């Protein structure tokens, strides 16, 4: 990379880091949008801690997400998720990637709204499907027609994800590019709030 390009890349992370301040950055969106993998890269670029709420839930419960759904059902999972997300957002700055249903739950959404800057990674059905059909770890997609289930979740959830502070289109490009787009959105949001 030329020296000039290196400077541009550095200034992107520095500017995003300054714009975020002590706030948390919380990634929301449907399964397969890239919250977990892009969130990890964003945190590393910003040099702040990264936490995936699903991994944290699995750590504290010593069960996988699939086991939790099977043993206690979705309602209990949502209650645990709400408690974990609330605790994770108590201090910042952090990047917190949530599970796809977190922002849909009223209680969890309130914690997220209060706990920092939320970013919706928005993707179309084919992009999501291409990514999630490779693994069968997601209990909500263990249905007869998982693609149709995913589409149903899109229709039900997209109006709620739209309440996030920022929206970034999750396209079929490298994860590092997606991470840069998240950083740019954080910078833009700060500029807009400074101007108003
Ligand atoms: N921009 C991307 N390009 C290619 N593959 C991606 C991209 N973002 C995510 N993936 C892949 O898609 C799958 C789902 O991503 P993940 O980060 O787990 O999404 P989420 O946490 O939103 O469900 C993973 O296998 C991941 O490697
Ligand atoms: O959309 C959902 O309700 C869920 C999404 C999953 O997380 P990812 O979005 O990271 O796959 C996980 O929390 C659980 O399977 C439920
Ligand atoms: Mg995830």
């Amino acid at each position: 990379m030329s020296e000039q390009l290196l400077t541009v890349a550095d200034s992107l992370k520095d500017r995003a880091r300054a714009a975020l301040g002590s706030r948390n950055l919380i990634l929301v969106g449907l399964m397969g949008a890239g919250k977990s993998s892009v969130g990890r890269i964003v945190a590393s670029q910003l040099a702040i801690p990264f936490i995936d709420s699903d991994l944290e839930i699995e750590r504290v419960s010593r069960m996988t997400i699939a086991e939790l759904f099977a043993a206690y059902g979705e309602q209990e999972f949502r209650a645990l998720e709400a408690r974990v997300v609330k605790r994770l957002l108590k201090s910042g700055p952090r990047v917190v990637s949530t599970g796809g249903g977190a922002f849909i739950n009223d209680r969890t959404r309130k914690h997220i709204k209060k706990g920092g800057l939320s970013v919706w990674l928005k993707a179309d059905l084919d992009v999501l499907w291409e990514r999630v059909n490779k693994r069968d770890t997601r209990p909500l997609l263990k249905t007869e027609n998982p693609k149709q289930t995913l589409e149903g979740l899109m229709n039900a959830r997209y109006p709620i994800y739209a309440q996030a502070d920022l929206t970034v289109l999750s396209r079929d490009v490298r994860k590092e590019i997606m991470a840069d787009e998240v950083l740019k959105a954080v910078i833009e949001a700060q500029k807009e709030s400074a101007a108003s």
Side-chain angles (χ1 to χ4, degrees):
M1 210 186 275
S2 75
E3 206 162 291
Q4 200 178 5
L5 273 178
L6 265 178
T7 313
V8 171
D10 276 351
S11 75
L12 179 64
K13 31 185 183 173
D14 291 346
R15 279 155 55 217
R17 179 67 193 85
L20 187 63
S22 62
R23 292 177 297 174
N24 291 304
L25 188 63
I26 306 129
L27 300 193
V28 307
L30 210 55
M31 295 173 267
K35 304 176 297 295
S36 299
S37 40
V38 172
R40 189 177 291 280
I41 301 170
V42 169
S44 134
Q45 296 274 32
L46 294 175
I48 61 177
F50 169 72
I51 301 149
D52 186 287
S53 67
D54 278 342
L55 293 182
E56 182 62 10
I57 289 168
E58 291 185 335
R59 191 183 69 79
V60 297
S61 67
R62 298 196 193 142
M63 292 169 85
T64 65
I65 301 294
E67 285 166 350
L68 282 166
F69 267 75
Y72 303 113
E74 180 169 356
Q75 217 183 326
E76 279 299 310
F77 173 79
R78 296 300 171 205
L80 175 59
E81 182 176 55
R83 289 199 297 278
V84 167
V85 168
K86 182 181 182 189
R87 174 171 59 75
L88 293 179
L89 297 177
K90 279 231 163 85
S91 68
R94 288 173 169 172
V95 175
V96 176
S97 290
T98 58
F103 199 66
I104 306 306
N105 179 274
D106 289 346
R107 219 167 358 133
T108 311
R109 188 168 62 255
K110 275 185 199 133
H111 299 319
I112 294 174
K113 284 300 226 174
K114 197 169 154 224
L117 194 62
S118 49
V119 184
W120 174 22
L121 287 187
K122 180 181 184 185
D124 68 31
L125 182 63
D126 288 332
V127 167
L128 296 172
W129 176 245
E130 203 38 53
R131 293 178 187 164
V132 296
N133 79 12
K134 295 193 178 114
R135 296 185 71 193
D136 66 349
T137 52
R138 293 173 169 96
L140 291 183
L141 296 181
K142 287 194 191 300
T143 61
E144 250 176 49
N145 187 341
K147 188 170 181 186
Q148 201 175 29
T149 305
L150 192 61
E151 189 172 18
L153 286 171
M154 272 184 84
N155 294 334
R157 290 178 171 183
Y158 273 27
I160 302 175
Y161 292 138
Q163 296 173 34
D165 297 316
L166 311 175
T167 298
V168 170
L169 290 184
S170 173
R171 298 170 291 118
D172 209 0
V173 295
R174 282 173 41 236
K175 296 169 195 171
E176 287 72 15
I177 297 189
M178 285 312 310
D180 279 358
E181 296 199 356
V182 171
L183 298 181
K184 282 182 205 152
V186 171
I187 295 167
E188 281 309 310
Q190 183 63 15
K191 274 193 203 154
E192 276 167 28
S193 81
S196 65

